[in-house]
Amino acid sequence: LGCGYDQDPIYPSTFRKGPVEIDLHTHLLGADRIRARRHLIGEDADAVFHRSVPVDVGGGGLFCLDSFDFILCHWLHALKHRIGKLIWLIDIEMIVRDWTAEQWKQFYRHIQARKHRKTMAGWFRLRKQIFAIRPAPSVTNGHEIGPLKRYTIRKWKKNGALPSWAPFLFFLPPCGLKSQIRIIIESIYPRPEILRQVFPGLSKYPDWFLYVLRTCQILACLPPFRIKG
């Protein structure tokens, strides 16, 4: 704020100064907003940051995620947004395209240790269909995705995005049913202060009204209630 940036009244982690906008995140996958997401990575986020590697950008030093962590977190981020941008898949492909067999084995051990092998199976299938590349059998063997996930990928190929309900199928923590149910519930009905960000023009209304409005919003996304224009 001392540098002349104005804090957004609805999104307190967003700061603006003229055409410049800074959006601060304190967690890789948005657990600062949806607290149940802190279990998504499969380990504490601090461990991920400790593995980050220094990079040089324009003569300045920055830290970037380790390549294995980047791929996992980038894929989870893409799932959160229903893989609405092809560039997210290309970003990952730019990293893995020259990997050796040993690097694939190390990556397999990395995702296996965090119980995300099934999570990454969706990426393996998309990679095969988009780039016509089949990953090493040691990585994918025995972890093909099920029919419902295959259906969502077909919808992605047709519409350019996963169905609106797909993140509740893919974007889940690997640490048990209780945590998975919690993240689904909190994603649908977040805390009141987060819900006011979803409906910024109605932020002065009482909490109960916003939750009723949220319920109507969710129902409108379901096929039986969807209004066709």
Side-chain angles (χ1 to χ4, degrees):
L1 295 177
C3 297
Y5 284 86
D6 296 320
Q7 187 176 26
D8 190 290
I10 302 297
Y11 294 90
S13 296
T14 300
F15 301 85
R16 296 183 177 87
K17 181 181 179 181
V20 179
E21 180 176 308
I22 298 176
D23 190 14
L24 299 179
H25 294 265
T26 58
H27 188 272
L28 290 167
L29 296 169
D32 46 350
R33 299 184 74 246
I34 307 298
R35 292 171 177 169
R37 290 178 183 168
R38 67 182 183 273
H39 301 297
L40 270 170
I41 303 175
E43 63 178 329
D44 190 87
D46 288 343
V48 178
F49 283 114
H50 288 318
R51 287 193 298 270
S52 60
V53 295
V55 295
D56 180 81
V57 179
L62 296 174
F63 282 90
C64 180
L65 292 182
D66 165 84
S67 59
F68 293 167
D69 291 323
F70 175 84
I71 292 170
L72 176 58
C73 291
H74 208 50
W75 174 242
L76 287 170
H77 177 80
L79 290 174
K80 182 179 72 171
H81 294 290
R82 301 164 52 204
I83 323 180
K85 296 179 180 179
L86 184 61
I87 188 63
W88 289 325
L89 302 179
I90 296 176
D91 286 340
I92 298 176
E93 190 60 31
M94 293 293 288
I95 293 177
V96 306
R97 60 180 179 176
D98 295 323
W99 270 8
T100 64
E102 180 58 30
Q103 285 175 302
W104 278 110
K105 290 179 182 179
Q106 291 174 2
F107 179 64
Y108 160 74
R109 290 193 289 266
H110 182 85
I111 60 176
Q112 181 76 357
R114 287 148 190 82
K115 300 180 181 179
H116 269 299
R117 193 174 178 185
K118 290 184 178 180
T119 305
M120 297 305 301
W123 169 60
F124 295 140
R125 185 174 183 87
L126 269 181
R127 185 170 184 257
K128 176 185 174 183
Q129 294 187 3
I130 296 173
F131 303 108
I133 299 174
R134 181 186 294 273
S138 60
V139 179
T140 59
N141 188 31
H143 281 80
E144 183 58 64
I145 62 175
L148 186 56
K149 289 184 177 180
R150 290 199 296 271
Y151 167 78
T152 64
I153 289 178
R154 289 197 299 271
K155 297 292 286 185
W156 177 87
K157 292 176 65 177
K158 179 180 179 181
N159 302 323
L162 295 175
S164 57
W165 47 266
F168 299 122
L169 182 65
F170 284 98
F171 191 63
L172 294 173
C175 51
L177 182 60
K178 183 178 179 180
S179 295
Q180 293 176 349
I181 293 175
R182 182 178 177 185
I183 195 173
I184 291 174
I185 293 175
E186 191 177 353
S187 296
I188 296 175
Y189 295 111
R191 290 170 288 140
E193 58 266 33
I194 304 302
L195 204 56
R196 282 178 166 74
Q197 297 174 3
V198 177
F199 303 110
L202 304 173
S203 59
K204 295 182 179 180
Y205 282 79
D207 294 349
W208 67 265
F209 179 81
L210 296 180
Y211 281 107
V212 170
L213 197 61
R214 178 63 168 173
T215 300
C216 294
Q217 184 186 51
I218 296 298
L219 288 175
C221 295
L222 301 177
F225 302 95
R226 190 174 299 154
I227 299 176
K228 297 183 178 180

